[in-house]
Amino acid sequence: DVLRYAEKIPLLGAPGKTFSYSNISASLAGYLAVIAQKNKHKSDFMSLNLYQGYKELLQQKVLNPIGMKTATLQASSAQESSNYGKSYKFKNGLAIEAESEDFDDDPLAPSGALKANILEMADYIRMQLNYGKSSKGIQIVSNVNFG
């Protein structure tokens, strides 16, 4: 559905000339990685569940090598944790729990649906600051992509 929707969105400008952040574009990039990976193995990508493929690829290529054992795309899994951080809003001068906008199987998951604790996020940031190398010494993102 995301692919079909994206093809109908008009460009704001020529590629490489105009910048505009888009959750849909970021999600497409995540799903294109799944298609490219499956194409490498000669799978029929038209029969893929792109969300499930993204979830598996993220786990295999990013979360596991970094050591992010509890990070998840599933809102329900994160909310089950006793360490889950809740959002609050003020109403009549009182802080009340806000209703979560997260949900399971979000089709825009590649653009920011990952839930992780602060220690695992620190490991992720450490990898970013270390030019794609995890604290375990595993190269997760090529050094060229940080140039």
Side-chain angles (χ1 to χ4, degrees), residues 11-25:
L11 292 177
L12 296 176
K17 300 288 182 191
T18 304
F19 173 79
S20 176
Y21 178 80
S22 163
N23 282 342
I24 292 171
S25 296

Side-chain angles (χ1 to χ4, degrees), residues 8-119:
K8 296 175 185 159
I9 300 172
L11 292 177
L12 296 176
K17 300 288 182 191
T18 304
F19 173 79
S20 176
Y21 178 80
S22 163
N23 282 342
I24 292 171
S25 296
S27 293
L28 288 175
Y31 292 137
L32 287 174
V34 174
I35 292 168
Q37 179 75 13
K38 296 298 181 180
N39 194 37
K40 198 187 319 184
H41 301 323
K42 307 292 184 231
S43 297
D44 177 14
F45 75 86
M46 294 305 285
S47 65
L48 288 175
N49 176 328
L50 290 177
Y51 176 85
Q52 187 62 34
Y54 173 74
K55 187 176 168 182
E56 291 169 8
L57 199 58
L58 176 68
Q59 192 73 46
Q60 175 189 14
K61 300 284 188 180
V62 179
L63 303 180
N64 288 347
I66 293 174
M68 297 176 74
K69 293 178 177 28
T70 65
T72 181
L73 293 174
Q74 298 297 103
S76 61
S77 294
Q79 292 163 353
E80 289 171 5
S81 169
S82 61
N83 200 20
Y84 176 69
K86 299 175 182 175
S87 297
Y88 291 85
K89 63 182 179 181
F90 282 100
K91 186 173 184 179
N92 299 326
L94 297 173
I96 60 169
E97 189 176 331
E99 187 174 328
S100 176
E101 295 181 15
D102 290 333
F103 55 93
D104 287 349
D105 305 324
D106 183 347
L108 298 180
S111 65
L114 188 67
K115 289 99 175 97
N117 66 48
I118 190 70
L119 297 174

